[in-house]
Amino acid sequence: MRKLESIGPLSAEERQAVESLPVKTRVLEPGHDIVNDGDQPSHSCLVLSGWVCRYKMLSLGRRQVLSFHVAGDIPDLQSLHLPLMDYSLAPLTRSAVAFIAHESLRELTATFPGLAAVLTRDLLIDAAAYRAWLTGLGRRSAYERLAHLFCELYLRQQAVGLAEAHRCPLPITQMDLGDALGLSNVHVNRVLKEMRGSGLVTLRAGTLVIEKWPELAQAAEFDPSYLHLRSGHAV
């Protein structure tokens, strides 16, 4: 609910309708995909806890992580409109997910146009994030890419109540970061050491602490406007 309200306002009736959606909940471990490239799913997946990623696999086991997702995200919402999956979705940590039937989502959006608008806005924000990631992969240095990702992940978690005081969970590996940023594990490690040495961040036991937000945001040329967070959901 916090995720939806970070995108747009909801009435009490709309909140009740979302809370009443019939769902099937499962707890999944890393290594077990939620949905696969080429599938035609009849449900969309709401992340309740843990971390999930979208990814594409290439030859020789090469993986490109397309996005990271935390509690409140519906990372395959587009499957409601595009029946064929063009990526896979997998948990990176032990994750609880709720499966919502497309039929139920269609009924919800037909009954509540305001909710339909919020969910559509979520898809548009998702596309904006893709453009920001593409810009980073094409034109930012490794240091700038990682700094930009840290800024984004902090603000997205802050918006749903998972982060505060420039401290947020980051329970993923350097390999996951490298696969998202087009960098080797060694390169990610080198950049992290540089950031720590500059006093910008500390990363310990799955927690990211941004010690110097202005300096990190400046290094990344980070402009949070592409996340389209409502007032009150920003640093």
Side-chain angles (χ1 to χ4, degrees), residues 25-26 95-96 147 164 175 177 181 203-204 215 227 229:
T25 303
R26 293 178 59 192
S95 301
E164 62 180 355
M175 183 175 294
L177 292 172
L181 302 175
L203 185 56
R204 187 180 302 111
E215 289 84 350
L227 295 173
L229 296 171

Side-chain angles (χ1 to χ4, degrees), residues 11 17 22 37 51 85 93 108 146 204 234:
S11 68
D37 198 346
W51 281 56
M85 296 295 295
T93 66
L108 179 75
L146 190 57
R204 187 180 302 111

Side-chain angles (χ1 to χ4, degrees), residues 43-74:
H43 295 71
S44 287
C45 164
L46 166 64
V47 183
L48 300 176
S49 66
W51 281 56
V52 167
C53 77
R54 295 185 185 124
Y55 74 94
K56 292 280 287 189
M57 288 299 297
L58 303 177
S59 62
L60 304 177
R62 293 173 295 168
R63 181 184 66 159
Q64 178 64 51
V65 170
L66 304 171
S67 54
F68 294 116
H69 296 277
V70 298
D73 289 347
I74 309 178

Side-chain angles (χ1 to χ4, degrees), residues 20 22 24 28 38-39 58 71 80 89 96 113 132 138 152 176 199 212 219 225:
S20 299
K24 294 181 179 179
L28 301 173
D39 284 353
L58 303 177
L80 182 63
L89 188 66
E152 176 184 309
D176 296 329
K212 299 178 180 178
S225 61

Side-chain angles (χ1 to χ4, degrees), residues 133-177:
W133 278 45
L134 179 62
T135 301
L137 287 171
R139 287 293 179 245
R140 290 191 178 100
S141 69
Y143 192 98
E144 292 165 343
R145 281 180 235 171
L146 190 57
H148 198 279
L149 179 61
F150 284 167
C151 291
E152 176 184 309
L153 292 176
Y154 173 74
L155 285 187
R156 285 174 52 202
Q157 292 186 86
Q158 183 196 44
V160 295
L162 297 176
E164 62 180 355
H166 297 127
R167 179 186 298 265
C168 67
L170 193 72
I172 54 178
T173 67
Q174 290 186 16
M175 183 175 294
D176 296 329
L177 292 172

Side-chain angles (χ1 to χ4, degrees), residues 72-88:
D73 289 347
I74 309 178
D76 59 346
L77 181 60
Q78 60 267 45
S79 67
L80 182 63
H81 307 289
L82 302 174
L84 187 68
M85 296 295 295
D86 59 5
Y87 58 84
S88 296

